[in-house]
Amino acid sequence: MSEGPAFDAAFLRDFDTLLRWRRDVRHFVDRPIAEAEMQAVLATAALAPSVGNAQPWRLVRIRSAGCRAALAAHVDASNARAAERYAGEAGQAYRALKLHGIREAPELLAVYCDERPRAGQGLGIATMPEMLRYSCVTAVHTLWLAARTRGLGMGWVSILEPQAVTALLDVPDDWTLIALLCLGYPAGPSDLPELERRGWQAREPLADRLFER
């Protein structure tokens, strides 16, 4: 029986570098993604683990200019409402942030969870049905890493109303929105999160989030 591949020290260093350079990208250059590259990234994302091997992710590529414009307008409006939560210097800092690249990114992708997938036969979700959604999140993260290995950046847009996006994209009612993603070649890539570079929030120590019982 094969023992599988061995991951040497050089690979581990490269993997650590990949994780450090995987950033939430909001600024994209004006360059399309070749279809072969896009298909390769999507194929890698489909290698993600899933509960019961149900593969509940449903990927919607948004190709319509009208859908893109409507999504951008919706997110802008949601962002304006979210800004009302912050006052004073925090409000000024919030309004100075660029929180999505819907208009600039060459590819937009909505990731949904099929809450009743045929695959998997319900294995592993009797007591934790949310595992289906967690599985979709692993697919998003796998996609994120796959994109970065090809020089692509990805941004996860969360300032939106899922019901409005679902209605706009006309998908089945039993699909749950997990993510709206912007993909493209990043302008000014960095190994520091943009929110940290702009003084909003730095990464905090792991020790503050690690517990033992």
Side-chain angles (χ1 to χ4, degrees):
M1 175 179 284
S2 171
E3 296 181 357
F7 300 107
D8 59 16
F11 177 89
L12 296 179
R13 288 193 298 271
D14 289 343
F15 184 66
D16 183 74
T17 299
L18 171 62
L19 294 177
R20 293 179 185 278
W21 281 83
R22 181 230 42 86
R23 298 271 59 88
D24 193 339
V25 176
R26 294 90 182 269
H27 305 268
F28 298 93
V29 300
D30 185 14
R31 176 185 170 189
I33 302 173
E35 184 61 21
E37 283 286 271
M38 191 66 188
Q39 290 297 329
V41 168
L42 295 175
T44 301
L47 297 176
S50 63
V51 62
N53 204 21
Q55 305 143 77
W57 44 80
R58 304 294 180 258
L59 311 177
V60 181
R61 286 180 75 179
I62 299 162
R63 317 299 289 273
S64 160
C67 280
R68 179 187 290 260
L71 284 169
H74 171 72
V75 172
D76 284 345
S78 298
N79 187 39
R81 290 192 295 272
E84 296 173 358
R85 299 175 55 200
Y86 302 97
E89 292 184 2
Q92 294 176 3
Y94 181 92
R95 290 174 177 84
L97 296 172
K98 180 177 173 61
L99 297 178
H100 73 83
I102 293 174
R103 293 182 176 86
E104 301 89 351
E107 291 280 348
L108 294 181
L109 189 70
V111 179
Y112 280 87
C113 177
D114 185 345
E115 303 287 357
R116 299 176 182 175
R118 292 184 179 179
Q121 303 179 63
L123 179 66
I125 61 173
T127 57
M128 290 187 66
E130 63 269 28
M131 287 297 296
L132 289 170
R133 299 181 188 183
Y134 298 161
S135 298
C136 294
V137 173
T138 67
V140 171
H141 189 245
T142 304
L143 173 66
W144 221 332
L145 297 181
R148 191 65 192 88
T149 62
R150 292 170 172 83
L152 297 168
M154 192 177 91
W156 188 331
V157 183
S158 61
I159 305 174
L160 48 76
E161 296 292 341
Q163 297 86 350
V165 174
T166 295
L168 176 65
L169 298 181
D170 191 25
V171 300
D173 292 338
D174 55 358
W175 289 11
T176 299
L177 181 66
I178 301 298
L180 177 63
L181 307 172
C182 304
L183 287 94
Y185 293 95
S190 173
D191 63 346
L192 280 179
E194 181 168 346
L195 294 181
E196 183 170 351
R197 298 199 310 270
R198 294 182 176 272
W200 184 266
Q201 175 66 60
R203 188 176 295 279
E204 296 184 344
L206 170 61
D208 293 349
R209 288 159 171 75
L210 182 62
F211 306 90
E212 294 185 5
R213 294 291 187 268

